[in-house]
Amino acid sequence: MTCQVRQGNTCTCRPSNPLPLNIVKNDNFSLLLLYSSPFSSLLLFFVHFLTDMAIWFARSKTLVSSLRHNLNLSTILIKRDYSHRPIFYTTSQLSSTAYLSPFGSLRHESTAVETQADHLVQQIDEVDAQELDFPGGKVGYTSEMKFIPESSSRRIPCYRVLDEDGRIIPDSDFIPVSEKLAVRMYEQMATLQVMDHIFYEAQRQGRISFYLTSVGEEAINIASAAALSPDDVVLPQYREPGVLLWRGFTLEEFANQCFGNKADYGKGRQMPIHYGSNRLNYFTISSPIATQLPQAAGVGYSLKMDKKNACTVTFIGDGGTSEGDFHAGLNFAAVMEAPVVFICRNNGWAISTHISEQFRSDGIVVKGQAYGIRSIRVDGNDALAVYSAVRSAREMAVTEQRPVLIEMMTYRVGHHSTSDDSTKYRAADEIQYWKMSRNPVNRFRKWVEDNGWWSEEDESKLRSNARKQLLQAIQAAEKWEKQPLTELFNDVYDVKPKNLEEQELGLKELVKKQPQDYPPGFHV
């Protein structure tokens, strides 16, 4: 018998002449081969195949026993390939594809040969001595018992561009801002200040029931909005009215919502400051904390599925990171590789709870890495730093289809809301320091003025006009009729159930009986 060279993984050995019944022996066992048949080549092929497989299984058994003994594993961890595969395979794909199925069955490209089995076992032996081949990636071994420290000895640095005097720090890495954009950013920050002041006073006068300011966080509002595309979908918390202001929400629209009149898009059903606009891709604010984060992950994933050149941007406060939805939202976005920019406003206080009582980690930025999310810590009172960071994060999210986490370091100068008195739990000196020395509007104004783009005359004119327009908007909003009582029961069911009809009837009768208990202009 002659043995010709193997072609690929197929043995082409065949007898040179038909042979009678023969016994072929080797060191391991004897095989009875019949070469007098026309199928001799095929039979010999299977002989080699069975020989190789016997060797492989024998070595695999030894390998399994060794791993179980040395690693104390009841089952062997097998690498699984979770990459996307087509539902249907062609014949050529089946013959050339090799992978480990999710159930751990090994599929070879074709018949294995003894030398390949030797090499594979040797590779496994070498890898197992250094690494654990586990789903998600290889994990190295160490003989040193060492726990990961609870935190780094050095805190994550905070990215900034402008110093406290509004001057650009030498060698700063930032995205340049044009005169037109810079002036508009400052105008909107100043307008937001005026709006907060007047609406807050309106609540104190009893003209609206509730309000919540953004004092101290104007740069996060406006600079982040300036860095986004109008197509990006925003899911706010409740301290981001500046994003709507930047996108074109008018002072009249803000007033209509706060007064809950007929022009309010929410039909008067929401508390004041719970704004929303389909036109401006701004989800309506909801009071429950952190619910918008898993929603943002879902919206971002839908944008990805639709191949939109846009991302989702969602905001949350430091207190919201203690909610389960924060962790669910980040994990969902990371696993699904959804284009979402998570912006956390770390302003030091979750109402009256200080951050030292909120978490033991180095703020929020380190939480991103735990979920496999790229993260950065930014000076939230530096408009240029906020703009650069958000614009870069937005670019990563859209082009790389990945989530990004930004921790904005800032301070809530105002009370949590009109229902809060922050002087009961924090020092007045602390508030004054952040209001005067680290004011984000003043810092950005200095930079704009130093560039010759703004003057005292411009400042006086802007604030005077903003105040005048807002007072006119409030007066007009007060004159609008309130939503009729029936709107309280609409838009929930297509056909009202009987119990809801009974509640509506009972409320109407109560209003008619005691009209003095309801505001002027309120009607059934």
Side-chain angles (χ1 to χ4, degrees):
M1 183 177 71
T2 61
C3 180
Q4 299 181 357
V5 178
R6 289 175 181 249
Q7 298 178 359
N9 287 331
T10 305
C11 177
T12 59
C13 293
R14 69 170 186 267
S16 56
N17 296 301
L19 296 176
L21 189 63
N22 288 283
I23 299 296
V24 180
K25 297 182 178 180
N26 62 23
D27 295 335
N28 298 313
F29 49 82
S30 298
L31 289 176
L32 185 65
L33 300 180
L34 182 64
Y35 287 101
S36 58
S37 165
F39 301 101
S40 58
S41 295
L42 182 60
L43 289 171
L44 188 58
F45 170 86
F46 279 108
V47 167
H48 280 281
F49 173 81
L50 293 173
T51 303
D52 293 336
M53 291 305 294
I55 294 171
W56 163 251
F57 281 119
R59 286 176 174 163
S60 295
K61 186 175 181 180
T62 302
L63 178 62
V64 169
S65 299
S66 176
L67 285 172
R68 283 178 174 168
H69 175 74
N70 294 327
L71 300 180
N72 193 25
L73 295 175
S74 58
T75 57
I76 297 302
L77 299 174
I78 302 173
K79 180 180 180 182
R80 294 175 173 84
D81 183 2
Y82 290 102
S83 60
H84 173 72
R85 302 189 191 95
I87 298 176
F88 302 102
Y89 288 89
T90 63
T91 305
S92 60
Q93 285 175 320
L94 284 172
S95 64
S96 62
T97 303
Y99 62 88
L100 291 173
S101 76
F103 302 100
S105 59
L106 183 65
R107 302 186 180 183
H108 294 278
E109 293 183 4
S110 59
T111 308
V113 293
E114 185 175 351
T115 55
Q116 290 175 321
D118 286 339
H119 180 63
L120 181 58
V121 172
Q122 182 181 357
Q123 274 188 324
I124 293 174
D125 288 339
E126 290 175 355
V127 169
D128 287 337
Q130 303 170 11
E131 298 175 318
L132 175 63
D133 204 355
F134 195 79
K138 294 179 179 179
V139 180
Y141 287 115
T142 178
S143 58
E144 179 185 5
M145 185 173 67
K146 185 177 182 181
F147 291 85
I148 298 174
E150 63 278 9
S151 61
S152 174
S153 58
R154 182 182 179 187
R155 298 194 68 181
I156 301 296
C158 184
Y159 166 68
R160 72 170 181 167
V161 177
L162 294 176
D163 63 18
E164 302 304 327
D165 295 321
R167 293 189 293 264
I168 292 180
I169 299 170
D171 301 322
S172 292
D173 179 16
F174 71 101
I175 298 174
V177 175
S178 67
E179 176 183 351
K180 181 179 179 181
L181 179 59
V183 169
R184 187 187 171 203
M185 286 171 62
Y186 178 74
E187 288 176 341
Q188 298 283 275
M189 290 169 69
T191 301
L192 182 58
Q193 277 190 330
V194 174
M195 187 176 83
D196 275 343
H197 176 73
I198 293 179
F199 273 131
Y200 186 88
E201 292 301 319
Q203 192 281 333
R204 287 294 187 248
Q205 295 169 6
R207 299 166 78 176
I208 58 177
S209 61
F210 178 84
Y211 194 71
L212 185 151
T213 70
S214 303
V215 180
E217 302 179 34
E218 296 90 349
I220 295 175
N221 272 251
I222 301 302
S224 66
L228 302 176
S229 162
D231 294 329
D232 296 331
V233 181
V234 177
L235 285 87
Q237 186 181 16
Y238 45 60
R239 214 178 294 274
E240 297 84 26
V243 177
L244 260 183
L245 183 66
W246 178 269
R247 291 193 166 196
F249 209 67
T250 65
L251 297 179
E252 290 76 16
E253 288 174 307
F254 280 112
N256 290 335
Q257 196 285 323
C258 287
F259 282 88
N261 60 33
K262 269 193 171 183
D264 172 27
Y265 301 133
K267 298 185 177 182
R269 297 166 179 160
Q270 287 273 22
M271 292 173 61
I273 67 90
H274 285 57
Y275 314 109
S277 174
N278 289 335
R279 173 175 58 90
L280 300 175
N281 286 326
Y282 190 97
F283 270 54
T284 300
I285 295 168
S286 59
S287 292
I289 302 299
T291 55
Q292 69 274 14
L293 267 66
Q295 296 165 2
V299 174
Y301 189 58
S302 71
L303 293 174
K304 178 178 182 176
M305 292 176 66
D306 292 338
K307 295 180 171 54
K308 299 289 187 180
N309 185 31
C311 68
T312 302
V313 181
T314 186
F315 294 82
I316 193 171
D318 48 274
T321 64
S322 294
E323 295 285 343
D325 280 343
F326 170 80
H327 304 277
L330 263 66
N331 192 52
F332 182 20
V335 172
M336 303 307 293
E337 296 181 331
V340 184
V341 178
F342 295 94
I343 299 178
C344 179
R345 299 174 290 94
N346 185 354
N347 60 25
W349 295 90
I351 306 183
S352 60
T353 303
H354 190 262
I355 56 171
S356 62
E357 299 174 351
Q358 198 71 243
F359 40 71
R360 284 291 179 267
S361 62
D362 178 13
I364 291 91
V365 66
V366 295
K367 300 180 188 292
Q369 190 175 29
Y371 291 105
I373 295 179
R374 196 173 293 171
S375 310
I376 187 173
R377 171 174 281 163
V378 180
D379 182 351
N381 289 13
D382 178 352
L384 287 184
V386 172
Y387 175 81
S388 296
V390 174
R391 183 169 170 180
S392 298
R394 192 255 173 203
E395 187 70 16
M396 292 176 194
V398 174
T399 60
E400 301 179 33
Q401 294 294 286
R402 66 162 67 239
V404 182
L405 172 64
I406 304 176
E407 178 185 14
M408 299 288 189
M409 308 293 282
T410 184
Y411 190 82
R412 191 196 78 218
V413 172
H415 304 300
H416 174 75
S417 71
T418 51
S419 302
D420 173 50
D421 180 4
S422 62
T423 60
K424 299 295 184 183
Y425 53 82
R426 57 182 186 174
D429 291 345
E430 175 184 312
I431 300 173
Q432 190 67 14
Y433 166 73
W434 283 89
K435 182 178 180 179
M436 303 305 297
S437 301
R438 299 187 63 83
N439 188 302
V441 181
N442 292 347
R443 191 197 301 191
F444 192 61
R445 177 185 173 181
K446 290 176 183 177
W447 180 73
V448 176
E449 285 180 335
D450 288 347
N451 283 304
W453 301 340
W454 197 253
S455 66
E456 188 62 40
E457 183 182 352
D458 295 327
E459 182 76 13
S460 177
K461 183 178 179 181
L462 169 70
R463 291 185 179 270
S464 176
N465 288 340
R467 179 179 177 82
K468 181 180 179 181
Q469 291 174 23
L470 190 56
L471 290 174
Q472 290 175 345
I474 289 175
Q475 291 171 0
E478 285 182 308
K479 293 178 181 179
W480 272 86
E481 290 184 345
K482 299 295 182 182
Q483 293 284 349
L485 186 63
T486 53
E487 287 296 344
L488 184 62
F489 300 90
N490 291 337
D491 300 332
V492 177
Y493 297 96
D494 182 31
V495 178
K496 292 179 187 176
K498 185 177 180 180
N499 66 323
L500 200 59
E501 289 180 342
E502 292 174 352
Q503 292 176 32
E504 182 178 0
L505 180 62
L507 184 56
K508 288 179 179 179
E509 292 175 351
L510 181 63
V511 173
K512 290 179 180 179
K513 184 183 295 185
Q514 299 175 328
Q516 71 279 3
D517 294 336
Y518 295 88
F522 184 83
H523 60 282
V524 175

